[in-house]
Amino acid sequence: MTLEPFYVRHFFGETHDTLAVIIHDHRFKAHSKGLRRLHEPRITFIESMNRKLVMMGHFNARALEIGPLTWAVISPSAMVRNFVQYLEAGNPINHLKMPGDLTEEGDALLASMGYGDDRPMIVLHVRDMGYLPEMSYHSFRAAKIETYKPAIDYLVSKGYRVIRIGDKTSVKLEHESPLVVDLPHHPDYSDILDVCCMAKARFAITCSSGPESMARALGTPMLTLNGYIQPDYWLNHDDVLLLKTYRDTATGEKISYDSMLSKNLFLETTTEGFERAGITLEDNTPHEILEAVQEMDMRISGTYVPDEALDNRFHELSVQHLARYRSELPDIGPGEQDRFETYAFALPWTRYSQSFMQANPWFLR
């Protein structure tokens, strides 16, 4: 409900007066009212109980002109690939703007909960195994909320209100400060608050899980922690990335960024895939998280002085391996639209955490 409509706006918004997206009926598959309202000034959502109709995009027949309509029968993976290629061509990211009525309603609700002051806000999301535990093939994306405590303490000491968002099945965030709000467990929680808080945040601390898409679509500066390399995970210009540590399971050695890419590990997207590749992913340590959050805070304040050589080396390796990977792709027929062709971290504005690169010179060897 976030990025697919966002891509539809980019690809068809200027050429079509009316945009409609067919989704499951909310009684069959619930969705966020806040995200829906974020899009509705431009997009009409049509709910259907016909599952085959909703899943038509997975046939991936491209955009078809049928009578007065353009049917964008494009799969999610093809759509995001097309968007990365759109960015590679130098096109702008047109971020979403909050509708006035949604902002007002969110502000009023926050005020009624006691958070209506002008205190700057940091939004935090940490995916854990309490969320969709049956999806064990995505267990490598989870992390432990307790490892974020030193960073939360730092943000509180700086006077920020930390708003934790996520699912009600997530592990509770226990903290003694009234400036730390565990939003999904608050008795007055409403799902419009996720998008309203993300829009208001000074910056967001996220991971490779759904809520980060709100920050990307809104243009809220974002620090992605405990990430993993992916072909289509594009970032905004003010974002910062920190991956989990990749380790060779047999030897115990840490795997450099160059080696990750040479092994095409950005194509691995399941726990079983990493196991077959002999790779173990280790969570960021509390100290690494703290230093990355401090770096992000200084970047947003304009007081951080990055080492351009580190940025250039990260970008050089990303571009080099993308070119190598593309040169090895076989020719395919026009019907095969879903293969990976991009590596979005090769976009020139992608920024990796310098605090990590400075403390871990092995990473860029």
Side-chain angles (χ1 to χ4, degrees), residues 217-292:
L218 288 163
T220 299
M222 177 177 72
L223 170 63
T224 296
L225 299 173
N226 284 304
Y228 67 103
I229 50 175
Q230 307 174 54
D232 51 16
Y233 191 99
W234 55 272
L235 296 169
N236 285 307
H237 290 243
D238 293 328
D239 296 347
V240 176
L241 168 69
L242 179 58
L243 302 172
K244 292 192 175 192
T245 294
Y246 284 52
R247 195 180 290 273
D248 186 293
T249 305
T251 67
E253 293 183 0
K254 296 176 180 178
I255 301 176
S256 69
Y257 186 57
D258 185 28
S259 183
M260 288 183 209
L261 295 179
S262 67
K263 298 176 185 292
N264 290 340
L265 293 180
F266 62 92
L267 302 180
E268 299 295 346
T269 59
T270 65
T271 299
E272 292 76 13
F274 284 113
E275 290 175 352
R276 287 192 298 269
I279 304 298
T280 301
L281 271 61
E282 295 180 355
D283 292 359
N284 300 148
T285 68
H287 183 68
E288 290 167 351
I289 293 171
L290 171 62
E291 288 200 324

Side-chain angles (χ1 to χ4, degrees), residues 45 50 76 82 85 89 94 126-128 138 144-145 149 225 230 234 246 258 278 295 311-312 316:
F45 289 95
N50 187 325
N82 293 349
Q85 293 174 334
N94 300 314
V126 182
R127 179 177 178 139
D128 60 46
H138 275 174
K144 296 180 179 178
I145 190 70
K149 187 177 185 304
L225 299 173
Q230 307 174 54
W234 55 272
Y246 284 52
D258 185 28
E295 175 187 338
D311 285 341
N312 291 341
E316 173 191 353

Side-chain angles (χ1 to χ4, degrees), residues 143-158:
K144 296 180 179 178
I145 190 70
E146 56 265 30
T147 60
Y148 289 71
K149 187 177 185 304
I152 294 171
D153 292 342
Y154 164 79
L155 292 169
V156 167
S157 74
K158 297 281 287 186

Side-chain angles (χ1 to χ4, degrees), residues 45-349:
F45 289 95
I46 302 172
E47 296 188 28
S48 173
M49 288 297 288
N50 187 325
R51 188 173 185 274
K52 291 181 179 179
L53 178 63
V54 178
M55 301 301 288
M56 275 178 58
H58 291 277
F59 292 122
N60 208 2
R62 300 185 178 182
L64 306 175
E65 303 294 335
I66 303 177
L69 302 178
T70 300
W71 285 86
V73 189
I74 306 171
S75 73
S77 57
M79 191 173 289
V80 68
R81 179 205 60 205
N82 293 349
F83 187 73
V84 174
Q85 293 174 334
Y86 163 93
L87 296 179
E88 289 178 341
N91 294 298
I93 304 172
N94 300 314
H95 294 110
L96 299 179
K97 291 181 171 54
M98 287 283 288
D101 63 328
L102 183 57
T103 298
E104 291 176 7
E105 186 175 337
D107 287 347
L109 184 51
L110 286 170
S112 72
M113 297 163 68
Y115 313 129
D117 53 24
D118 294 326
R119 186 179 294 276
M121 177 188 300
I122 307 297
V123 166
L124 168 68
H125 177 248
V126 182
R127 179 177 178 139
D128 60 46
M129 288 307 296
Y131 175 67
L132 298 177
E134 68 276 11
M135 294 176 61
S136 60
Y137 54 90
H138 275 174
S139 62
F140 70 93
R141 295 165 63 185
K144 296 180 179 178
I145 190 70
E146 56 265 30
T147 60
Y148 289 71
K149 187 177 185 304
I152 294 171
D153 292 342
Y154 164 79
L155 292 169
V156 167
S157 74
K158 297 281 287 186
Y160 291 114
R161 176 172 285 117
V162 179
I163 303 285
R164 187 273 189 97
I165 65 173
D167 192 77
K168 289 186 177 182
T169 61
S170 299
V171 176
K172 289 187 177 182
L173 172 56
E174 306 287 353
H175 200 281
E176 61 276 7
S177 173
L179 293 179
V180 179
V181 182
D182 195 3
L183 198 59
H185 296 109
H186 195 286
D188 297 325
Y189 169 75
S190 165
D191 68 11
I192 71 165
L193 289 177
D194 295 335
V195 66
C196 291
C197 289
M198 189 65 81
K200 291 169 66 71
R202 179 171 171 83
F203 65 89
I205 302 168
T206 67
C207 59
S208 298
S209 191
E212 58 77 21
S213 63
M214 291 187 290
R216 288 197 281 163
L218 288 163
T220 299
M222 177 177 72
L223 170 63
T224 296
L225 299 173
N226 284 304
Y228 67 103
I229 50 175
Q230 307 174 54
D232 51 16
Y233 191 99
W234 55 272
L235 296 169
N236 285 307
H237 290 243
D238 293 328
D239 296 347
V240 176
L241 168 69
L242 179 58
L243 302 172
K244 292 192 175 192
T245 294
Y246 284 52
R247 195 180 290 273
D248 186 293
T249 305
T251 67
E253 293 183 0
K254 296 176 180 178
I255 301 176
S256 69
Y257 186 57
D258 185 28
S259 183
M260 288 183 209
L261 295 179
S262 67
K263 298 176 185 292
N264 290 340
L265 293 180
F266 62 92
L267 302 180
E268 299 295 346
T269 59
T270 65
T271 299
E272 292 76 13
F274 284 113
E275 290 175 352
R276 287 192 298 269
I279 304 298
T280 301
L281 271 61
E282 295 180 355
D283 292 359
N284 300 148
T285 68
H287 183 68
E288 290 167 351
I289 293 171
L290 171 62
E291 288 200 324
V293 168
Q294 291 172 330
E295 175 187 338
M296 187 68 178
D297 188 29
M298 288 188 287
R299 283 179 181 266
I300 298 300
S301 300
T303 59
Y304 191 79
V305 180
D307 182 341
E308 290 187 8
L310 292 177
D311 285 341
N312 291 341
R313 176 60 175 162
F314 179 84
H315 180 62
E316 173 191 353
L317 289 171
S318 302
V319 170
Q320 179 185 68
H321 280 287
L322 174 58
R324 187 265 312 159
Y325 171 71
R326 282 179 168 165
S327 71
E328 296 171 353
L329 286 175
D331 292 333
I332 61 171
E336 300 176 62
Q337 299 301 311
D338 273 349
R339 71 172 182 177
F340 294 123
E341 296 181 20
T342 58
Y343 179 61
F345 292 161
L347 291 166
W349 57 82

